[in-house]
């Protein structure tokens, strides 16, 4: 509610309304312990920044938005248990990002809960789980993906590397063996004709269980691949970069998550010339990018890195939808909020992003960058940073709605 409206309301009525107003509760249900904790903690940092920003702008219905945090302990079972706890605590909006396996569990649990509890619905705000099925066969009215997916990431990465004349004719695909990694492998194969390359070998490996990637790096080297395309994240990318450096592998990496803290330090100078497709590059965003970096740094104590920008932008979309959702009996009508999310549109430092109502997949700008000593912003306390190659608008990056998304909306 606008602050000016409060002034016009008689004091007695204002007190009566306040007594019945329920604050919006947003839960971050993230991996905050175990081997993937560093990723979960960056998602949490982005959420905290965005909620603080919402509250500085007046919160919702004159009340601060409440943030509650739950550690899903890195697995679907833990996420399921913590989701039940969040529902019992009165949470209406759940935010999660690290791992599509966990995202798949949450979206299914949310769907079932909402079917069984009409009038007590919750919404899942997905800021990082990028498996295609979440906006495909598992799409549902109460799930919104506020990040990319394997199709759009790979399409843009391949185009950017080709434009930079850094995409070889022989490509090695290495990915984690679960929904996200399998989607990446399929997308790498699907883009071969457009990219003008041959996939010389494909590897799917266990997720976050491998301590030594040197055998995999040896296989890549033996394959003669000039380029490695990978969707790996967390320890699986950190340790792969370390092994690539130790072996002196010359192949260029095309990645989705190379900007995860530690990757460039682990790879050292061998990272120079590697590529990433990401949501934010401060240098590419110019004055708006510099303003966002300065504000984020002032509020959190560090520059926005890795998944933090996409999380902050995603929660800006939530703020936009909340602003347009009027309270019903002093409470948030979750279905009305979800309908507002379907038409959410925001301006990010990279350009406009908007929600696609048909499948609840955000359409957002993406940027392809290369690791270079010429980059304006350095990372990992090295002399390297991400030099922008090309920014792709939301429309340029978009892929069509998947045919198997059959969205069921509440009547």
């Amino acid at each position: 509610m606008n602050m000016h409206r409060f002034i016009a309301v008689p004091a007695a009525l204002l007190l009566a309304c306040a007594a019945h107003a329920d604050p919006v509760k947003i839960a971050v249900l993230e991996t905050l312990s175990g081997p993937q904790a560093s990723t979960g903690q960056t998602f949490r940092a982005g959420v905290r920044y965005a909620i603080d920003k919402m509250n500085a702008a007046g919160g919702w219905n004159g009340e601060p938005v409440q943030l509650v945090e739950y550690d899903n302990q890195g697995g679907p079972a833990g996420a399921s248990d913590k989701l039940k706890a969040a529902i019992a605590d009165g949470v209406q909006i759940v935010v999660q990002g690290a791992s599509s396996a966990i995202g798949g569990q949450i979206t299914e649990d949310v769907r079932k809960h909402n079917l069984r509890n009409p009038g007590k619905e919750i919404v899942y705000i997905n800021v990082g789980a990028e498996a295609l099925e979440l906006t495909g066969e598992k799409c549902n009215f109460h799930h919104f993906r506020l990040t990319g997916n394997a199709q759009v990431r790979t399409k843009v990465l391949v185009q950017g590397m080709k434009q930079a004349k850094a995409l070889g004719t022989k490509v090695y695909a290495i990915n984690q063996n679960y929904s996200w990694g399998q989607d990446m492998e399929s997308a790498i194969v699907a883009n071969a004709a457009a990219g003008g390359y041959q996939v010389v070998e494909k590897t799917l490996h266990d997720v976050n269980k491998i301590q030594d990637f040197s055998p995999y790096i040896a296989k890549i080297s033996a394959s003669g691949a000039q380029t490695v395309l990978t969707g790996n994240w967390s320890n699986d990318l950190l340790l792969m970069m370390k092994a690539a450096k130790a072996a002196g592998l010359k192949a260029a990496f095309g990645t989705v998550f190379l900007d995860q803290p530690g990757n460039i330090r682990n790879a050292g100078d061998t990272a120079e010339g590697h590529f990433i497709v990401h949501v934010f590059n401060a240098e590419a965003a110019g004055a708006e990018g510099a303003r966002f970096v300065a504000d984020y740094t002032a509020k959190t104590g560090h520059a926005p890195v890795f998944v933090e920008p996409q999380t902050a932008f995603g929660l800006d979309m939530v703020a936009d939808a909340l602003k347009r959702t009027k309270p019903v009996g002093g409470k948030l009508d979750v279905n009305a909020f979800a309908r507002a999310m379907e038409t959410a549109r925001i301006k990010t430092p990279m350009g406009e992003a908007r929600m696609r109502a048909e499948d609840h997949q955000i359409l957002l700008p993406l940027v392809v960058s290369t690791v270079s000593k010429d980059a304006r912003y350095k990372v990992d306390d090295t002399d390297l940073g991400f030099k922008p190659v090309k920014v792709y608008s939301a429309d340029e990056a978009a892929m069509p709605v998947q045919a198997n998304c059959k969205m069921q909306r509440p009547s």
Side-chain angles (χ1 to χ4, degrees):
M1 187 181 280
N2 190 299
M3 195 56 73
H4 296 300
R5 290 183 194 161
F6 272 96
I7 295 165
V9 175
L13 183 55
L14 180 60
L15 286 170
C17 289
H20 293 96
D22 284 355
V24 170
K25 280 191 177 181
I26 297 180
V28 59
L29 206 165
E30 204 41 88
T31 304
L32 303 174
S33 60
Q36 297 168 44
S38 61
T39 300
Q41 286 159 6
T42 52
F43 279 113
R44 177 175 66 180
V47 173
R48 285 178 173 178
Y49 168 80
I51 299 289
D52 286 347
K53 191 170 150 189
M54 278 185 216
N55 287 334
W60 183 80
N61 193 29
E63 292 277 333
V65 172
Q66 289 186 9
L67 176 63
V68 283
E69 299 176 354
Y70 302 85
D71 180 5
N72 66 40
Q73 296 160 332
S80 213
D81 289 343
K82 294 303 166 69
L83 180 63
K84 286 174 190 155
I87 292 166
D89 291 342
V91 164
Q92 298 111 324
I93 299 167
V94 173
V95 184
Q96 179 270 344
S99 172
S100 290
I102 292 171
Q105 182 70 53
I106 292 174
T107 199
E108 185 60 13
D109 286 353
V110 164
R111 186 186 70 81
K112 286 178 179 172
H113 167 84
N114 291 346
L115 283 173
R116 293 168 186 156
N117 299 276
K120 295 181 179 177
E121 291 86 358
I122 54 172
V123 164
Y124 168 32
I125 298 297
N126 170 5
V127 290
E130 300 199 16
L132 284 170
E133 64 181 7
L134 299 176
T135 49
E137 61 184 326
K138 285 189 174 179
C139 76
N140 75 76
F141 178 73
H142 295 98
H143 163 268
F144 293 87
R145 174 156 43 210
L146 302 178
T147 184
N149 60 47
Q151 287 182 336
V152 300
R153 296 269 199 184
T154 307
K155 169 190 167 183
V156 168
L157 178 62
V158 165
Q159 285 183 19
M161 289 184 74
K162 191 174 180 183
Q163 178 175 313
K165 297 186 169 44
L167 185 63
T169 56
K170 293 181 178 180
V171 165
Y172 194 108
I174 180 166
N175 291 284
Q176 295 150 317
N177 193 14
Y178 76 116
S179 52
W180 158 250
Q182 291 156 15
D183 287 345
M184 277 297 298
E185 182 175 276
S186 297
I188 291 163
V189 171
N191 277 276
Y197 58 79
Q198 172 198 0
V199 179
V200 292
E201 199 163 337
K202 301 176 293 187
T203 293
L204 291 170
H205 61 77
D206 289 344
V207 184
N208 284 312
K209 289 182 179 171
I210 295 159
Q211 298 305 310
D212 179 13
F213 271 84
S214 56
Y216 294 94
I217 297 299
K219 278 182 76 178
I220 292 167
S221 183
S223 75
Q226 298 142 317
T227 307
V228 179
L229 297 182
T230 181
N232 279 17
W233 57 279
S234 197
N235 275 358
D236 287 338
L237 190 56
L238 288 165
L239 295 175
M240 188 157 67
M241 289 294 100
K242 211 170 184 176
K245 178 188 178 182
L249 185 70
K250 299 299 182 201
F253 277 78
T255 73
V256 178
F257 300 118
L258 190 60
D259 54 356
Q260 179 186 350
N263 279 331
I264 300 303
R265 185 171 55 250
N266 271 1
D269 285 347
T270 59
E272 199 166 1
H274 287 356
F275 284 77
I276 179 172
V277 53
H278 46 178
V279 169
F280 177 70
N281 179 310
E283 186 173 339
E288 279 299 301
R291 186 207 57 76
F292 172 60
V293 169
D295 187 63
Y296 197 97
T297 305
K299 303 279 173 34
T300 68
H302 67 272
V305 294
F306 188 33
V307 295
E308 290 173 2
Q310 71 193 42
T311 304
F313 302 157
L315 271 288
D316 282 348
M317 196 166 261
V318 170
D320 172 76
L322 281 172
K323 217 180 293 177
R324 295 181 289 111
T325 308
K326 289 184 168 52
V328 177
K331 296 182 181 181
L332 179 69
D333 180 331
V334 171
N335 286 342
F337 163 70
R339 280 188 279 273
M341 277 293 295
E342 290 194 313
T343 57
R345 189 179 286 258
I346 59 163
K347 180 124 180 22
T348 79
M350 303 303 300
E352 186 181 81
R354 66 186 187 276
M355 180 53 62
R356 184 164 63 189
E358 290 85 352
D359 59 352
H360 294 186
Q361 169 64 53
I362 194 175
L363 303 180
L364 79 171
L366 291 172
V367 55
V368 175
S369 305
T370 186
V371 179
S372 170
K373 287 176 179 166
D374 294 333
R376 186 179 304 161
Y377 296 88
K378 310 302 185 187
V379 298
D380 279 354
D381 297 320
T382 69
D383 59 353
L384 296 164
F386 296 101
K387 185 84 181 163
V389 172
K390 186 175 179 190
V391 177
Y392 293 81
S393 70
D395 288 328
E396 287 172 328
M399 290 289 285
V401 176
Q402 295 172 71
N404 59 0
C405 172
K406 311 291 184 192
M407 185 75 71
Q408 302 288 318
R409 289 177 171 76
S411 55

